[in-house]
Amino acid sequence: MNNYIWLIPILPLAGFLINGFGRNILPKKVISIVGCLVVLASFGLSIEAFAQISSGGHIEANLFNWFNAGTLNVSFSFLVDRLSVLMMLIITGVGFLIHLYSVGYMNHDEGFGKFFSYLNLFIFFMLLLVMGSNYLVMFIGWEGVGLCSYLLIGFWYTNPDYADAAKKAFIMNRIGDLGFIIGIFLILYYFGSTAYADIFPKATQMNGFNVPFTLITLLLFIGAVGKSAQIPLFTWLPDAMAGPTPVSALIHAATMVTAGVYMVARSNILFTLAPYTMEVIAVIGLATATFAALIALSQTDIKKVLAYSTVSQLGYMFLGLGVGAYTGAFFHLLTHAFFKALLFLGAGSVIHAMSNEQDMRKMGGLKGKLKITFITMLIGTIAISGIPPFAGFFSKDEILAQVFVHNKAMYVIGVITAMFTSFYMFRLLYLTFYGKFRGTSEQEHHLHESPRTMTIPLIVLAVLSIVGGFIGIPEVLGGHHWLEQWLAPIFADSTALLPKANTAASTDILLMAASVAGAVLALIYAYVRYVKNAHVPASDTEERPGLVSLSYHKFYIDEIYDFLIRKPLDWLSVFFYKVVDLLAIDGIVNGLGKMTVRSSKGLRLLQTGNVGYYIFMMVIGIIAILVYSFVKI
């Protein structure tokens, strides 16, 4: 297997090249087969890698020595262990389902071949990110998925708003990436290497080296904040819904935005040795989870609700990482990949049936027309709401239990946020599928279930959203938490340093009951409001109550950023252009040029061509020399 591990990322790269160069030549059927098959093959090889790792150990593959600089030797190599192999299965498995879904969703798009080439390229870079054995290979994948995000968000670039959304995502990610690469430089400075195998054992021995660890981890976390859309760099992700729905599912739900979570989990020992950074992560994660949930409560665009839900769920993951619940955070990453990809693809199925309409106020009554989409989205909604026995219940409860031990106030806020999640997700479900149809007669006439290439991925993801949580059933419910045992070697050093978070079985049951009760109460309230009372959110021309208006307008965060950051930068740019550039730099350069020209014109007059004048000047010169010599004596 070691000899073939490099094929896992190379196969999608080959698909990118084939579909990229053949996008205007190959028929759509060939493009779709190539695009899907290379990802499916990578998934098969990932399963084989999983089977090999299950028997013990890990897989290393050194492709080539990248460069040498003094004592630094960096190789382009892969490390497949218990953490990365799970990510590989998610990336290739969910990625294949999204590729298959795209066959039907993008079938009538002119850029069909280009779209599949971009998807394949994204899978390649995402695999590099998780398979790299050092931070530099990870960074290549990190920047690569950022590039693919830009290409896919702005896929319909003829729409200026979509192009602006792509640029916004790209620029905001660069802010975080700057922190990440500076953190890598500091790692290189303190550890003399970028390889995980060199850094993590040394870090364990350097326990107490607090200031460097804090600085390094804060910089790494800045990178995670940008990539995983945490406060304050979260506003790019909702705008990224401008891309085709499969892009939203693949990049902004299942894989790319979780790269920050993976990076922190991979670097867990560094973060464990920096308790200040851990507290910062927990606070920012909780603030992001709550703030994004508050915004999602009043959104009317079906994809915007899911986008802010993604930001909120990522906040939960970082909350778990911040309190030391590394397994719980990664568990939620896995379950979230299932139910959020399902919800995005389900939303895409609705949009497909509604002739590209995304406003939930113009939907309603779709469950009879889109039966498969409705049932699968219902499953996804129950899963994300944390209602047992679906996947989201187990992962979210594990995080909340650890937060309860860490800080009771954080736990209360976390449970309230979970109630918000249940409310806005069932609000989405009820507004979309219940009541009377509120769209046009033409839309109603064209309502139909999506083709099999779209519904089969929905069904598979729905099944995973039901059973996915069973890999982490806690002991208090009679399980053995397979995932915790599987990842134990990855987090062993951190587990030894972190305080034990043991609670009584009765406390665990009570905590589970509290979170489930909150979710059910929110579900019932949403049902009464949007089904029984048939409430429809106000139109854009109608006034809303103060808090609802703030939530609907996203608390004017974009406007605040525009006023505090963009406009001052624009003013500063104008100042530098008009004062520093034009007056100072250009003034000096042009002034020297003008002075040279004018002095040349003056000196030119001395060259008259008159021999008598030249003899006269020679005599004047000799007299001046004699006078100077006399005065000097």
Side-chain angles (χ1 to χ4, degrees):
M1 179 65 192
N2 295 22
N3 297 329
Y4 302 100
I5 198 72
W6 56 274
L7 280 173
I8 295 176
I10 290 298
L11 285 171
L13 180 62
F16 159 71
L17 295 173
I18 294 170
N19 285 334
F21 286 112
R23 64 188 183 278
N24 297 323
I25 304 171
L26 299 174
K28 288 184 177 180
K29 187 173 183 179
V30 173
I31 289 172
S32 58
I33 290 173
V34 171
C36 294
L37 195 59
V38 292
V39 180
L40 181 61
S42 291
F43 178 61
L45 290 173
S46 298
I47 293 175
E48 187 177 346
F50 177 82
Q52 183 172 340
I53 290 172
S54 298
S55 60
H58 57 270
I59 303 171
E60 292 185 37
N62 186 1
L63 272 65
F64 54 86
N65 289 328
W66 190 358
F67 64 87
N68 297 318
T71 58
L72 177 64
N73 180 18
V74 178
S75 62
F76 200 98
S77 55
F78 295 145
L79 170 67
V80 180
D81 60 5
R82 291 175 173 241
L83 182 66
S84 59
V85 76
L86 292 180
M87 287 295 295
M88 290 160 58
L89 289 171
I90 291 294
I91 294 164
T92 55
V94 176
F96 167 70
L97 294 175
I98 294 171
H99 276 70
L100 181 61
Y101 178 95
S102 300
V103 174
Y105 191 86
M106 299 294 293
N107 186 54
H108 301 294
D109 196 281
E110 294 178 357
F112 188 84
K114 182 171 68 173
F115 183 77
F116 268 87
S117 69
Y118 288 167
L119 285 185
N120 284 164
L121 184 64
F122 171 81
I123 295 291
F124 164 71
F125 278 123
M126 194 67 206
L127 287 169
L128 275 191
L129 191 155
V130 300
M131 292 176 65
S133 67
N134 59 66
Y135 282 104
L136 286 181
V137 177
M138 177 191 278
F139 190 72
I140 293 174
W142 191 276
E143 291 298 294
V145 294
L147 169 65
C148 293
S149 175
Y150 169 77
L151 295 173
L152 287 165
I153 293 169
F155 185 75
W156 292 319
Y157 59 87
T158 52
N159 185 322
D161 293 335
Y162 294 178
D164 289 342
K167 288 184 285 187
K168 182 178 182 179
F170 191 77
I171 293 168
M172 292 195 79
N173 270 268
R174 298 291 75 70
I175 298 170
D177 295 351
L178 177 62
F180 187 21
I181 196 167
I182 294 173
I184 294 174
F185 284 139
L186 284 180
I187 287 174
L188 182 60
Y189 175 77
Y190 284 107
F191 295 96
S193 176
T194 61
Y196 308 143
D198 297 330
I199 296 167
F200 300 152
K202 287 183 182 179
T204 308
Q205 297 170 4
M206 295 166 67
N207 190 2
F209 208 40
N210 293 333
V211 174
F213 281 136
T214 300
L215 187 57
I216 288 169
T217 51
L218 281 175
L219 288 166
L220 294 180
F221 179 58
I222 289 173
V225 165
K227 193 67 70 182
S228 296
Q230 298 295 285
I231 289 175
L233 302 178
F234 71 97
T235 57
W236 68 267
L237 194 145
D239 288 358
M241 296 303 106
T245 299
V247 175
S248 304
L250 179 64
I251 294 182
H252 307 118
T255 52
M256 190 192 91
V257 291
T258 59
V261 179
Y262 169 79
M263 186 264 287
V264 175
R266 169 62 71 191
S267 313
N268 64 88
I269 187 61
L270 300 179
F271 286 86
T272 300
L273 295 171
Y276 173 77
T277 304
M278 294 279 282
E279 198 64 29
V280 170
I281 293 173
V283 170
I284 289 180
L286 181 61
T288 303
T290 306
F291 190 69
L294 285 171
I295 295 175
L297 291 174
S298 61
Q299 298 304 302
T300 54
D301 185 314
I302 188 170
K303 286 178 69 176
K304 283 289 179 72
V305 175
L306 295 177
Y308 281 105
S309 171
T310 298
V311 176
S312 182
Q313 296 305 305
L314 288 166
Y316 261 112
M317 295 176 208
F318 280 104
L319 173 61
L321 293 171
V323 300
Y326 294 116
T327 301
F330 194 79
F331 188 15
H332 200 53
L333 182 157
L334 296 178
T335 59
H336 178 264
F338 300 144
F339 56 68
K340 186 54 66 65
L342 167 61
L343 289 167
F344 265 115
L345 296 185
S349 181
V350 171
I351 295 167
H352 182 265
M354 290 288 297
S355 303
N356 297 321
E357 179 60 66
Q358 297 183 197
D359 193 333
M360 295 184 295
R361 293 171 295 190
K362 300 177 182 178
M363 298 179 184
L366 299 182
K367 67 176 182 177
K369 297 285 187 179
L370 310 176
K371 293 181 181 180
I372 296 176
T373 301
F374 166 67
I375 293 172
T376 53
M377 284 198 74
L378 173 62
I379 292 169
T381 301
I382 296 173
I384 194 175
S385 299
I387 297 174
F390 290 19
F393 163 73
F394 297 101
S395 57
K396 189 176 291 186
D397 177 75
E398 185 170 342
I399 293 174
L400 289 174
Q402 193 85 3
V403 172
F404 177 81
V405 174
H406 180 78
N407 187 298
K408 304 299 187 291
M410 283 185 169
Y411 169 78
V412 172
I413 297 172
V415 171
I416 293 173
T417 302
M419 293 177 66
F420 290 161
T421 302
S422 178
F423 174 79
Y424 67 65
M425 284 308 308
F426 276 97
R427 172 181 176 268
L428 179 152
L429 190 79
Y430 295 146
L431 284 173
T432 303
F433 293 99
Y434 285 75
K436 296 181 179 179
F437 183 72
R438 299 180 294 274
T440 65
S441 57
E442 184 179 352
Q443 288 174 329
E444 187 173 17
H445 178 71
H446 287 95
L447 284 176
H448 62 281
E449 185 59 273
S450 299
R452 288 185 180 180
T453 54
M454 294 172 65
T455 55
I456 290 174
L458 291 177
I459 294 169
V460 174
L461 288 168
V463 172
L464 291 172
S465 298
I466 295 173
V467 304
F470 296 159
I471 64 173
I473 299 177
E475 293 182 5
V476 70
L477 295 180
H480 300 286
H481 207 311
W482 175 87
L483 184 64
E484 184 176 32
Q485 296 175 8
W486 175 263
L487 294 176
I490 303 295
F491 304 131
D493 292 334
S494 293
T495 303
L497 296 172
L498 290 168
K500 304 298 181 185
N502 295 324
T503 54
S506 58
T507 303
D508 290 336
I509 296 295
L510 188 62
L511 294 177
M512 292 179 191
S515 63
V516 173
V520 172
L521 286 173
L523 179 165
I524 294 171
Y525 177 65
Y527 178 82
V528 172
R529 183 172 176 81
Y530 296 103
V531 178
K532 191 172 181 181
N533 296 335
H535 174 77
V536 179
S539 67
D540 292 339
T541 58
E542 296 176 325
E543 290 189 8
R544 300 177 178 82
L547 290 176
V548 176
S549 179
L550 280 175
S551 172
Y552 181 76
H553 291 99
K554 298 163 282 189
F555 293 92
Y556 298 97
I557 293 297
D558 280 310
E559 290 78 4
I560 292 171
Y561 284 0
D562 188 68
F563 179 76
L564 294 179
I565 299 173
R566 189 189 65 81
K567 286 185 177 179
L569 286 175
D570 286 349
W571 178 86
L572 198 61
S573 299
V574 171
F575 171 79
F576 275 107
Y577 170 67
K578 291 185 176 180
V579 177
V580 178
D581 194 8
L582 291 182
L583 293 181
I585 298 174
D586 285 357
I588 292 171
V589 174
N590 293 336
L592 289 172
K594 290 177 181 178
M595 186 176 68
T596 302
V597 171
R598 288 174 182 174
S599 61
S600 299
K601 286 181 179 179
L603 292 172
R604 179 177 58 82
L605 298 175
L606 296 175
Q607 305 296 323
T608 63
N610 190 316
V611 177
Y613 175 75
Y614 293 155
I615 293 172
F616 173 73
M617 292 304 295
M618 288 173 60
V619 172
I620 294 296
I622 292 169
I623 293 172
I625 292 171
L626 291 173
V627 170
Y628 173 75
S629 301
F630 178 76
V631 172
K632 186 176 180 181
I633 293 172

